[in-house]
């Protein structure tokens, strides 16, 4: 599943990041690399996601979320 498709409340494990090497490095610098656990705090209009990784909130645009593959860990029931 892509991060772009994850609804609010999802907790996921990053499986792969398929962006260009420079973009992939920038994401890794922010803590977004395979093996990390993230949670989707908010799914804003036009595909923007606000996620939490390492207790930091990060806003990611739709184009970028389409390059991050995740495995769902759980979905918040609320």
């Amino acid at each position: 599943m892509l991060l772009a498709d994850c609804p609010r409340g999802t907790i996921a494990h990053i499986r792969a990041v398929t962006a260009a090497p420079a973009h992939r490095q920038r994401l890794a610098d922010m803590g977004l690399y395979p093996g990390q656990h993230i949670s989707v705090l908010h799914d804003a209009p036009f595909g923007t996601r606000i996620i939490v990784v390492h207790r930091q909130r990060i806003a990611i645009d739709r184009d970028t979320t389409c390059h991050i593959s995740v495995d769902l860990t759980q979905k918040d029931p609320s």
Side-chain angles (χ1 to χ4, degrees):
M1 170 180 257
L2 295 176
L3 180 56
D5 300 325
C6 293
R8 188 178 110 210
T10 300
I11 298 173
H13 179 258
I14 297 176
R15 183 177 36 180
V17 179
T18 59
H23 199 181
R24 194 170 46 235
Q25 181 60 50
R26 175 70 179 124
L27 292 170
D29 291 345
M30 294 189 306
L32 298 171
Y33 49 85
Q36 281 297 29
H37 284 85
I38 60 169
S39 25
V40 179
L41 259 184
H42 186 66
D43 50 348
F46 306 109
T48 299
R49 297 286 183 269
I50 298 174
I51 64 167
V52 175
V53 61
H54 295 296
R55 294 191 226 165
Q56 295 182 57
R57 293 180 184 190
I58 300 172
I60 302 178
D61 64 84
R62 175 144 181 95
D63 289 339
T64 302
T65 61
C66 288
H67 291 286
I68 301 173
S69 298
V70 298
D71 291 320
L72 297 182
T73 304
Q74 71 183 66
K75 169 72 173 84
D76 185 11
S78 57

